[in-house]
Amino acid sequence: MADPQGQGFEPATGDGAEPPGPGRAAELRTAYEGLLQIRRLLTGGTGTPAPWELRLVPRAVALVLEAAGFPPSAVDADGRRSRTGYRVAAGARGTTEVTWVGPPGGGAAGEESERLSACAAELERHGWDCLVYRGPRGRRFLEVAAPHPGG
């Protein structure tokens, strides 16, 4: 999963610049297939996150969402939102939060319920526990956590 310069693949979290184009799809596919292979070897193909995913939950969550085709949000050189999509960040109490954000007036607030529900369905299919909450300003966010033992 490393590139020629020895750097590992970094899934888009929604806080960076627009992901680079042509070669990214192949790198993403390789990283995602690696995640699935590690799961098969370490968890017997149970659909349970592997130990590395539990240590790096935001990275694992971002990889699953990007591989599923959800668009990541992006920021421009001045740090302003330039694209609507998911944003993955470390949350409270060891969880990870997924929000649906975009540039002002870009319609992210109107899309967030449907898009976060779709993100939750994909993450749950990959063994993560997801709950949707409303934040202080009424915006929804998805809290993603490691699955509870035994179910």
Side-chain angles (χ1 to χ4, degrees):
M1 287 198 285
D3 69 17
Q5 291 85 26
Q7 301 295 314
F9 176 82
E10 282 301 318
T13 63
D15 278 337
E18 297 274 343
R24 184 154 181 93
E27 292 173 354
L28 173 61
R29 188 172 42 258
T30 299
Y32 180 69
E33 288 170 0
L35 175 143
L36 296 178
Q37 182 63 19
I38 290 168
R39 282 182 169 201
R40 278 191 288 276
L41 293 171
L42 297 179
T43 68
T46 61
T48 304
W52 79 263
E53 293 176 84
L54 300 175
R55 287 190 307 275
L56 301 168
V57 176
R59 184 177 186 182
V61 165
L63 177 58
V64 167
L65 293 176
E66 188 176 359
F70 291 98
S73 182
V75 294
D76 64 19
D78 295 325
R80 293 183 300 244
R81 292 274 157 212
S82 59
R83 179 168 135 175
T84 299
Y86 68 80
R87 177 181 181 265
V88 177
R93 303 178 316 274
T95 62
T96 294
E97 290 183 5
V98 178
T99 52
W100 195 261
V101 296
E111 299 175 0
E112 72 183 5
S113 178
E114 180 181 336
R115 301 299 287 199
L116 289 176
S117 292
C119 289
E122 184 66 21
L123 291 166
E124 288 170 349
R125 191 174 74 79
H126 282 79
W128 297 101
D129 288 341
C130 301
L131 293 170
V132 177
Y133 290 100
R134 280 193 188 267
R137 295 185 317 220
R139 294 291 304 265
R140 291 175 181 88
F141 67 93
L142 186 62
E143 184 179 80
V144 183
H148 294 289

